[in-house]
Amino acid sequence: MDDVQTPLKTEAGASVPASPPSIEPRVTEFLRLGVLALFAYWSLTLVAPFAIIAIWAGILTVALYPAFKALTALLGGRPRLAAAAITLLALAVIAGPLAAIALSFAEAVQALFGKLAAGTFAVPAPPDAVRDWPLIGDWLHTAWTQASGNLEATLQRLAPSLLQAGGTVLGKIAGIGLDLIGFIVSVIIAGFLFRPGPRLGEGLKLFARRVAGERGAGFVDLAAATIRNVARGVIGVALLQALLAGLAFSLFAIPAASVLAFAVLIFCIVQIGPAPVLLPVVIWAWMSMETRAALGLTLILVFVGLIDNVLKPMLVARGLKTPMLVILAGVIGGTLSYGLIGLFLGPIVLGVFYDLVVAWIGSTRREDEVKPV
């Protein structure tokens, strides 16, 4: 048997039992692994507060690297100047207007809660046409009429739900300032990652090869392509539509312009489109504004609504394959978990994970089909 110890023979020919194997090497190995795990946990604890900022900076680097490469060639091979230019442009085009929209949205929501608390908020009576809406017309007209006639009683009836939702909303609003700072820091960090970007990418591919072979390197390429598709074709186009819609709302003095612009941003990110916001604004404009002003606003908002039909085929390579439900889950989960950055980080991370899982399942299925029976 293998576990029977072979006796040792002395010079006199006497047999001496072999000594049992020492457990010292195993104990030493366990101690090394324990110390390594302790330092890994400690390191993760130290970097955890900065993890979201670092991940978002990496995503911005991957999404904007083609622009950095093209600008470097345009500037005669000066990568530092190109990185600085893209960083300043991103701060001016993304961070600045986004900060304005977010802060205006926060102020509007706080003002709404203030009016509700003071009892000065009034709900107008519903139009009779609401009764003719299918399915929910009668119910909506009755609830609307009760709210317009006795808002205090309606609020008291809905008080538990409103208090719970209000606490969550106010908590998220309070963190918008910190989220904006984190967003700006992420853009600045991304500016420093453009130059070492290729080396970092090759290092990540090398690590993926060590873990999963050539399939791992392919997953890295797929993740980069998904990040660019979602970041530019979804987040980028949604930001552009929200900014243009916000400018139009402000130019024509539309009430609650920042709230409407933020709603446009959300609807565009989840791939529903801006129509649920723009269409009621156009109807309101034709009912309450002069014909020339209403026509001008309508033309601008139609242009805003059609932007994605033109830009998405140009910005999204091979089409966006991530389902709308995945993006919607990423938006909701990311916003609830990480605030303003999570609004953009969630759909990208969840989209990458979805595409990687689909690719992994597809490659495994092909390998099973190739195996001989």
Side-chain angles (χ1 to χ4, degrees):
M1 300 294 291
D2 293 340
D3 56 350
V4 177
Q5 298 179 0
T6 303
L8 300 177
K9 292 184 178 181
T10 62
E11 295 180 356
S15 297
V16 179
S19 59
S22 175
I23 64 171
E24 183 179 352
R26 296 183 180 180
V27 174
T28 304
E29 189 68 23
F30 278 124
L31 288 176
R32 289 176 180 174
L33 291 176
V35 172
L36 181 62
L38 177 61
F39 272 95
Y41 172 76
W42 199 0
S43 300
L44 289 175
T45 304
L46 292 175
V47 302
F50 313 101
I52 299 302
I53 294 177
I55 293 173
W56 181 236
I59 289 175
L60 287 176
T61 303
V62 174
L64 297 176
Y65 186 80
F68 163 75
K69 190 175 180 180
L71 186 58
T72 301
L74 186 64
L75 295 176
R78 287 181 282 185
R80 291 183 179 179
L81 183 59
I86 289 183
T87 302
L88 293 176
L89 184 63
L91 289 174
V93 174
I94 300 177
L98 181 62
I101 291 177
L103 291 177
S104 298
F105 175 75
E107 292 175 358
V109 174
Q110 285 180 330
L112 175 62
F113 276 97
K115 289 183 179 180
L116 289 175
T120 58
F121 182 78
V123 178
D128 294 334
V130 175
R131 293 182 181 273
D132 299 330
W133 292 6
L135 299 179
I136 63 171
D138 292 335
W139 174 84
L140 181 60
H141 189 275
T142 302
W144 194 341
T145 302
Q146 292 176 353
S148 61
N150 191 352
L151 181 61
E152 184 177 356
T154 304
L155 291 178
Q156 288 179 354
R157 188 174 70 252
L158 300 176
S161 300
L162 290 176
L163 285 175
Q164 184 177 4
T168 303
V169 171
L170 289 177
K172 294 300 179 183
I173 290 175
I176 283 181
L178 293 176
D179 292 338
L180 288 174
I181 295 175
F183 196 92
I184 294 173
V185 171
S186 298
V187 174
I188 296 175
I189 293 175
F192 289 97
L193 295 178
F194 285 125
R195 293 185 64 195
R199 294 196 304 272
L200 295 176
E202 290 300 324
L204 188 58
K205 284 186 179 181
L206 180 61
F207 176 78
R209 286 192 182 97
R210 294 293 299 270
V211 174
E214 288 301 324
R215 180 190 297 180
F219 285 166
V220 173
D221 292 333
L222 177 62
T226 303
I227 287 174
R228 293 192 179 103
N229 281 346
V230 178
R232 296 185 303 188
V234 177
I235 306 297
V237 175
L239 273 173
L240 180 61
Q241 289 180 288
L243 294 177
L244 293 178
L247 290 176
F249 295 153
S250 300
L251 181 63
F252 287 88
I254 303 298
S258 59
V259 177
L260 294 175
F262 198 80
V264 169
L265 178 64
I266 300 298
F267 279 114
C268 291
I269 289 179
V270 300
Q271 302 298 288
I272 295 177
V277 179
L278 301 186
L279 186 59
V281 171
V282 169
I283 295 175
W284 177 86
W286 283 99
M287 293 175 61
S288 58
M289 298 173 63
E290 296 182 357
T291 303
R292 182 178 300 178
L295 179 61
L297 178 62
T298 302
L299 293 177
I300 294 175
L301 295 185
V302 168
F303 171 75
V304 171
L306 296 177
I307 285 178
D308 57 345
N309 296 326
V310 178
L311 292 182
K312 279 185 181 177
M314 299 170 57
L315 297 176
V316 178
R318 299 170 303 183
L320 184 65
K321 299 179 181 179
T322 308
M324 184 183 70
L325 184 61
V326 174
I327 295 178
L328 177 61
V331 169
I332 297 175
T335 305
L336 293 178
S337 301
Y338 302 111
L340 183 62
I341 294 181
L343 173 64
F344 307 102
L345 185 66
I348 295 177
V349 172
L350 208 57
V352 170
F353 176 74
Y354 172 84
D355 284 357
L356 290 179
V357 170
V358 170
W360 176 69
I361 293 175
S363 62
T364 304
R365 185 178 301 170
R366 287 193 298 270
E367 289 180 358
D368 292 340
E369 293 175 354
V370 171
K371 288 181 180 179
V373 181

